[in-house]
Amino acid sequence: MRLAVFDLDGTLIDSLPDLADSVNSLLRGYGLTEQDDGSVRGMIGDGVAVLVQRALARCGDAAAGIDRAEATKRFMEIYGPRATERSRLFPGVKDALTCMRDEGWRLAVCTNKPVAAAHNILDTFGLSDLLAAVGGGDSFATRKPDPGHLLGTIRMAGGDVSRSVMTGDHANDIRAASGAGARSVFAEWGYGVQAFAEGASACAACMADVPVIAARLVPAVS
């Protein structure tokens, strides 16, 4: 059995519009300066708490006295109900996942996003039925780039790391795969910069390329 594991934000889902709107709603609530989409894009990839911390840090001394844990709670209250208002699947995602499933791959998601939010998004976009497991940022004691997060997701999906491929747009995805001993594909269409591809087994320009690349990295056993 071959297992294909995917990051969520910036890989399967273009979630930047809703994340940026939610960040700015949070900042407005504190009377702080809003951030443009480009700035928020660079904050994504390390989970909600880090996203909020980075957004507040961009506001300098004006945000110094704000409790980060309380701000993270507020952010989730804002983001949760609107997480799929303007977010969209990246082109070719559902077709590529369906193709891989039909070719015998088992599929999973490994994301630093809280698992409840991840399930909500995957349900909304009709991807849940294609997946064997979803490992969220709060599913294990560790999260990406710690390989334990990916290894836990692989176990949840009933896979074996030697027959697994991790696809993602962030350095965290590539580092988690390297540390776990899995192959990896850097998603060039996502939010990451090209430097994040360092150490990847391969790069893909679009989601449609992933089934072919993954099959090359982990060939089927006849």
Side-chain angles (χ1 to χ4, degrees), residues 79-135:
Y79 178 64
R82 60 150 309 128
T84 57
E85 282 190 11
R86 296 207 296 139
S87 297
R88 296 292 182 267
L89 291 176
F90 279 106
V93 163
K94 196 159 190 179
D95 287 346
L97 294 180
T98 301
C99 171
M100 295 183 80
R101 181 201 60 185
D102 292 347
E103 290 176 351
W105 288 85
R106 193 168 291 184
L107 309 174
V109 162
C110 181
T111 173
N112 281 341
K113 185 185 290 295
V115 71
H119 276 297
N120 176 53
I121 291 168
L122 292 164
D123 287 345
T124 299
F125 288 109
L127 299 183
S128 294
D129 289 346
L130 294 170
L131 302 171
V134 178

Side-chain angles (χ1 to χ4, degrees), residues 28-221:
R28 284 196 303 272
Y30 285 117
L32 299 171
T33 303
E34 295 185 25
Q35 302 295 310
D36 59 40
D37 284 6
S39 296
V40 176
R41 175 176 175 147
M43 301 174 191
I44 299 170
D46 291 291
V48 171
V50 177
L51 171 65
V52 170
Q53 183 178 19
R54 288 170 176 164
L56 294 175
R58 292 273 300 187
C59 298
D61 291 343
I66 295 173
D67 182 89
R68 270 42 180 176
E70 173 62 24
T72 299
K73 181 174 180 288
R74 283 196 195 186
F75 177 84
M76 287 307 300
E77 290 170 351
I78 295 166
Y79 178 64
R82 60 150 309 128
T84 57
E85 282 190 11
R86 296 207 296 139
S87 297
R88 296 292 182 267
L89 291 176
F90 279 106
V93 163
K94 196 159 190 179
D95 287 346
L97 294 180
T98 301
C99 171
M100 295 183 80
R101 181 201 60 185
D102 292 347
E103 290 176 351
W105 288 85
R106 193 168 291 184
L107 309 174
V109 162
C110 181
T111 173
N112 281 341
K113 185 185 290 295
V115 71
H119 276 297
N120 176 53
I121 291 168
L122 292 164
D123 287 345
T124 299
F125 288 109
L127 299 183
S128 294
D129 289 346
L130 294 170
L131 302 171
V134 178
D138 52 356
S139 295
F140 308 103
T142 59
R143 66 185 183 194
K144 298 178 297 184
D146 191 302
H149 187 181
L150 177 57
L151 289 168
T153 303
I154 291 171
R155 285 193 297 272
M156 284 176 60
D160 184 281
V161 69
S162 68
R163 300 283 291 162
S164 300
V165 179
M166 174 75 206
T167 298
D169 70 310
H170 199 281
N172 288 342
D173 303 306
I174 307 307
R175 290 172 184 164
S178 296
R183 295 166 181 82
S184 60
V185 178
F186 179 69
E188 294 181 328
W189 65 87
Y191 302 151
V193 296
Q194 193 60 40
F196 287 173
E198 183 178 355
S201 306
C203 294
C206 62
M207 188 65 186
D209 292 341
V210 173
V212 173
I213 293 172
R216 186 176 74 242
L217 294 175
V218 184
V221 176

